[in-house]
Amino acid sequence: MFAASGMSQGIDRLGRIRDCTSVTLAQDNPEVHVDDDLVRAAQQGDRGSFGRLYERYARMVHGVLLSKVPAGEVDDLTQDVFIRALRALPTLRETARFGAWLATIARNLANDYHRRSVPEEALADEAEDCEQNVPRPRTEDDYGARVLEEIRGLPEAYRETLILRLVEGMTGPEIAARTGLTAGSVRVNLHRGMQQLREKLKTQSGSQPEREAL
């Protein structure tokens, strides 16, 4: 369902960040999407309508998960979120809050993942530490992965919105519409998150080669 190439393109965007100041924090959205009809139709068993909801919300779910779980787990968990949502959809009363409801399912699934996999994560961290001790040439992918890790170290509200903006390529208004956050909250989270990310990158890579801005 969710194309794995989407994540690769998002990491590539991170790899091209020069100083984080060139990223537009909010853009005008020419169309306000109302999903009530699709949600109601999906609640009545219309799988085509649910498929359209998937197409509209997959990036949001993917980004929320990417802010919380290892990248290699995100695609499978994205599918799980939509499977859970399909099963629970008849219980959703406020159809206008579908996006916020879906984001909550994604966050809960990420929490479930961490409760189940603490021992495996500890082993993975040890293996990663060993790999980091082996010298190898730095690439754009390395830089993008490092930026992603810096984002994932930010407060939750900031890392979600930054990943949705920088990795998933969503605009500020799209993030607000899909997650149920207010436009003002998204602007604040992006602005403050960008400030913190910029400081982290300055501190840890003062001599990083200049990169093409987004």
Side-chain angles (χ1 to χ4, degrees), residues 61-73:
V61 170
H62 194 269
V64 168
L65 290 169
L66 185 59
S67 73
K68 301 175 184 301
V69 303
E73 304 291 339

Side-chain angles (χ1 to χ4, degrees), residues 23-29 165 170-174 183 186-187 190-191:
V23 178
T24 303
L25 299 185
Q27 300 174 6
D28 291 332
N29 189 357
R165 179 70 187 95
M170 298 173 66
T171 66
E174 282 178 326
V186 171
R187 283 195 296 270
L190 286 173
H191 178 70

Side-chain angles (χ1 to χ4, degrees), residues 47-115:
R47 293 299 180 94
S49 293
F50 190 78
R52 290 181 62 191
L53 288 169
Y54 173 86
E55 291 171 357
R56 291 162 68 81
Y57 285 88
R59 284 188 301 160
M60 183 272 286
V61 170
H62 194 269
V64 168
L65 290 169
L66 185 59
S67 73
K68 301 175 184 301
V69 303
E73 304 291 339
V74 173
D75 285 350
D76 287 343
L77 289 175
T78 297
Q79 312 309 318
D80 291 345
V81 168
F82 280 95
I83 290 170
R84 286 193 182 188
L86 180 60
R87 291 171 179 166
L89 195 57
T91 68
L92 178 63
R93 295 184 179 180
E94 296 182 61
T95 55
R97 290 189 53 78
F98 174 77
W101 176 76
L102 192 62
T104 298
I105 293 176
R107 295 180 190 116
N108 289 341
L109 194 62
N111 291 337
D112 290 345
Y113 169 84
H114 286 296
R115 280 194 291 268

Side-chain angles (χ1 to χ4, degrees), residues 11-197:
I11 298 297
D12 183 59
R13 280 195 290 269
L14 288 178
R16 295 197 306 271
I17 294 176
R18 183 175 60 195
D19 59 9
C20 297
T21 59
S22 59
V23 178
T24 303
L25 299 185
Q27 300 174 6
D28 291 332
N29 189 357
E31 182 178 358
V32 177
H33 297 292
V34 179
D35 295 318
D36 287 13
D37 290 343
L38 289 175
V39 175
R40 292 193 184 100
Q43 286 178 322
Q44 298 301 316
D46 184 344
R47 293 299 180 94
S49 293
F50 190 78
R52 290 181 62 191
L53 288 169
Y54 173 86
E55 291 171 357
R56 291 162 68 81
Y57 285 88
R59 284 188 301 160
M60 183 272 286
V61 170
H62 194 269
V64 168
L65 290 169
L66 185 59
S67 73
K68 301 175 184 301
V69 303
E73 304 291 339
V74 173
D75 285 350
D76 287 343
L77 289 175
T78 297
Q79 312 309 318
D80 291 345
V81 168
F82 280 95
I83 290 170
R84 286 193 182 188
L86 180 60
R87 291 171 179 166
L89 195 57
T91 68
L92 178 63
R93 295 184 179 180
E94 296 182 61
T95 55
R97 290 189 53 78
F98 174 77
W101 176 76
L102 192 62
T104 298
I105 293 176
R107 295 180 190 116
N108 289 341
L109 194 62
N111 291 337
D112 290 345
Y113 169 84
H114 286 296
R115 280 194 291 268
R116 293 193 310 266
S117 60
V118 171
E120 289 83 351
E121 286 183 342
L123 290 173
D125 288 342
E126 289 179 8
E128 185 177 341
D129 289 341
C130 292
E131 289 177 2
Q132 288 176 350
N133 291 330
V134 179
R136 59 188 176 86
R138 292 187 176 183
T139 66
E140 292 287 344
D141 287 344
D142 292 335
Y143 183 72
R146 190 173 67 78
V147 174
L148 178 59
E149 284 308 306
E150 295 295 347
I151 293 174
R152 286 161 63 110
L154 297 174
E156 181 174 346
Y158 301 163
R159 68 176 181 254
E160 275 194 15
T161 48
L162 279 182
I163 285 178
L164 291 172
R165 179 70 187 95
L166 298 177
V167 179
E168 305 299 337
M170 298 173 66
T171 66
E174 282 178 326
I175 294 170
R178 297 292 182 267
T179 61
L181 294 171
T182 66
S185 293
V186 171
R187 283 195 296 270
V188 169
N189 289 346
L190 286 173
H191 178 70
R192 292 179 179 172
M194 277 292 183
Q195 286 182 322
Q196 292 192 18
L197 177 59

